[in-house]
Amino acid sequence: MKVDVLFGPGGMGPAEMHGRVVVVIDVLRASTSIVVALANGARNVVPFEHADEAAERAKSYERREVVLAGERRMQRIPGFDLGNSPREFTREAVDGKSILFTTSNGTVALVAAQGAEEVFVGAYVNVSALLSVLTSPARARNDLVIVAAGKDRQFSLEDAACAGRFVRGLMDGGGALELNDAACATVMLDKRYGRTLHRMFKDAEHARALVSAGYGDDIAVCAAIDAYPVVPVYADRLITRMSAAQTR
Ligand code: MLT
């Protein structure tokens, strides 16, 4: 199995995505928020690159069916129901609803991943659940691209370290893996930080920015390994929770 890690959505052309299984990671905070929303009963999450597209799409739903969510510069977008704090995606806020979601980096990478064979959303909160899907007999033959979504289309420490967690999990699965250089580097990051995630979040620029913006409590939610055994899968423009039957 070939495993490529991409730092940021830069290399995500249709040719790179075609026929491959893709995992999009934006630990702080979009991919964590998607997992939490689906765990708390959201019917689906629809990612958008631009806020006005999400607002326009909301008009095609009954108001009670839909939640507009997203951030710019970490803050809730004016007029939206929720921002991008995973703590906002409570059962009370999202149960049974479609979440129209736009963030600075995470949803941009998701939109760019369309056209892949399968697209999953990964974070620390769902590592083991997603790894068991990626290593299932049905998928073990597919080449994998792990997109560490990053910040402002650049490298970010927490997404790269989380990508390394997935790569190490695949290596532990025992199959022969062919890693690109970025994937090798993420393995080193997971070795450095994997047992002391609090240190990694101290070092990570985006974590420090969240603390300054008053969202420091989000970091513990995003660092809670395997807190939500949910596998979000993105197909036909909708992110939904994979059923047990689909995971095999
Ligand atoms: C993103 O998509 O860049 C992030 O989720 C930003 C944030 O932390 O709100």
Side-chain angles (χ1 to χ4, degrees):
M1 182 193 217
K2 197 165 176 311
V3 180
D4 289 345
V5 170
L6 302 180
F7 295 139
M12 296 177 73
E16 287 83 4
M17 298 297 107
H18 182 74
R20 303 187 78 179
V21 173
V22 176
V23 174
V24 175
I25 297 174
D26 183 11
V27 172
L28 297 175
R29 298 165 292 174
S31 59
T32 305
S33 291
I34 290 168
V35 173
V36 172
L38 293 174
N40 282 333
R43 190 172 348 138
N44 50 54
V45 179
V46 191
F48 293 92
E49 187 168 350
H50 302 292
D52 52 353
E53 294 172 277
E56 191 54 37
R57 179 66 66 82
K59 294 179 187 158
S60 62
Y61 289 80
E62 294 278 341
R63 189 66 189 95
R64 65 188 154 72
E65 291 177 339
V66 76
V67 171
L68 264 174
E71 60 67 44
R72 289 297 178 267
R73 297 177 189 275
M74 297 171 283
Q75 304 296 342
R76 179 163 56 88
I77 296 168
F80 277 36
D81 304 304
L82 303 179
N84 183 25
S85 165
R87 291 177 296 132
E88 294 178 88
F89 292 81
T90 59
R91 186 161 291 277
E92 196 182 24
V94 304
D95 194 19
K97 313 245 179 162
S98 290
I99 317 297
L100 308 185
F101 194 37
T102 177
T103 69
S104 310
N105 303 283
T107 62
V108 176
L110 277 159
V111 169
Q114 290 178 98
E117 182 75 20
E118 271 185 310
V119 181
F120 298 105
V121 179
Y124 281 114
V125 291
N126 72 343
V127 172
S128 298
L130 180 48
L131 272 172
S132 59
V133 169
L134 297 175
T135 53
S136 68
R139 292 175 186 85
R141 279 171 287 117
N142 284 92
D143 289 340
L144 184 65
V145 179
I146 302 177
V147 181
K151 190 163 180 296
D152 302 330
R153 282 116 174 113
Q154 304 291 322
F155 179 92
S156 81
L157 190 58
E158 68 282 0
D159 293 340
C162 184
R165 187 80 166 208
F166 279 98
V167 176
R168 285 187 82 189
L170 294 166
M171 291 164 93
D172 292 346
L177 300 184
E178 188 188 328
L179 306 184
N180 72 349
D181 286 356
C184 289
T186 65
V187 168
M188 290 178 209
L189 284 176
D190 185 61
K191 283 186 181 154
R192 165 79 175 81
Y193 286 120
R195 287 176 191 273
T196 52
L197 285 187
H198 62 281
R199 277 203 201 142
M200 189 267 292
F201 284 114
K202 263 208 167 89
D203 290 344
E205 272 178 56
H206 190 42
R208 286 185 271 127
L210 284 169
V211 171
S212 303
Y215 294 110
D217 288 348
D218 287 355
I219 294 169
V221 179
C222 298
I225 294 171
D226 290 337
Y228 297 94
V230 167
V231 177
V233 58
Y234 181 33
D236 301 327
R237 293 288 291 124
L238 296 179
I239 303 170
T240 52
R241 181 177 179 162
M242 241 183 157
S243 67
Q246 288 173 296
T247 58
R248 280 174 221 123

